[in-house]
Amino acid sequence: MKEVKVSIHPVEIKSLKYNNAMTIKPGESMRLQMKTSTAVKLNPSVPTAALAMVKFEAVDETKNIQFEVETLTAVMAEPAVEKLDELIKAHYMGSILMAVNEKVRAAALMLGLTLAPPAIGFNYQDDNESIDAEIFRSM
C-alpha cells in the first residue's frame, strides 16, 4: 500500500452575499434556517489536485435577512490517487467544514450578524480504543 500525502490549503471566500431588509422590532424572536452544500471538483489536467467547494446559506423565515458564503479550498495529493473526490469527502470534508465555519463566523461578525453554524459530525472507529477493547476488559 502506497503512502499518500494530502495537503489542504487555507479556505478562501469566493463570494459573499448579504441582504438585510429587517423589519423586526427589538425583542421579537427571529428564526434562521441554515444550510450547507458541499462539492468536490477534480482537475482533469492535474490529477493530484481538487477543489472542495462549500456553500453556506442562512435565511430567516420572512426572507428579510439573507446571508450566503461560497468558499473554495484547494486539496493536493501526492502521488496521484484514484477517486480523489471520494477520498476527500470520506476523510477530509469534516476538517474543511470546520475551517469554513470559522470563515463564515468571521464574515458574519464583520456584517454584525451573530450566527452559530451547525455542528459537524466526524466518524471514528478504532476497536483498540473502544470500551470493549481487551485493555479495558482486563481492568
Side-chain angles (χ1 to χ4, degrees):
M1 188 169 160
K2 65 182 177 182
E3 185 175 321
V4 177
K5 180 182 176 188
V6 176
S7 302
I8 301 173
H9 294 258
V11 175
E12 297 179 21
I13 294 178
K14 177 184 174 187
S15 70
L16 173 66
K17 296 178 186 171
Y18 176 64
N19 184 24
N20 185 354
M22 187 54 96
T23 58
I24 197 166
K25 295 180 180 115
E28 288 183 18
S29 64
M30 178 178 65
R31 293 186 183 160
L32 286 176
Q33 298 173 347
M34 292 182 248
K35 180 173 76 169
T36 304
S37 307
T38 62
V40 177
K41 300 291 182 188
L42 298 175
N43 186 344
S45 61
V46 183
T48 60
L51 281 178
M53 302 166 62
V54 179
K55 182 178 182 181
F56 176 86
E57 297 175 274
V59 179
D60 74 319
E61 292 174 328
T62 58
K63 305 254 189 221
N64 285 326
I65 292 182
Q66 296 178 333
F67 177 70
E68 182 180 300
V69 179
E70 290 184 59
T71 65
L72 298 173
T73 307
V75 180
M76 306 291 286
E78 289 293 329
V81 177
E82 273 189 49
K83 299 182 182 178
L84 178 60
D85 54 344
E86 292 177 17
L87 174 80
I88 293 168
K89 287 177 187 176
H91 298 288
Y92 302 104
M93 193 53 80
S95 301
I96 292 169
L97 283 171
M98 282 180 58
V100 168
N101 276 0
E102 290 306 312
K103 287 285 186 177
V104 166
R105 201 179 303 253
L109 284 174
M110 182 181 70
L111 296 170
L113 289 174
T114 306
L115 289 178
I120 297 156
F122 287 92
N123 294 330
Y124 177 74
Q125 185 176 11
D126 186 359
D127 295 334
N128 293 330
E129 294 186 16
S130 168
I131 196 73
D132 298 327
E134 182 64 34
I135 190 169
F136 293 114
R137 283 186 267 154
S138 63
M139 296 176 126

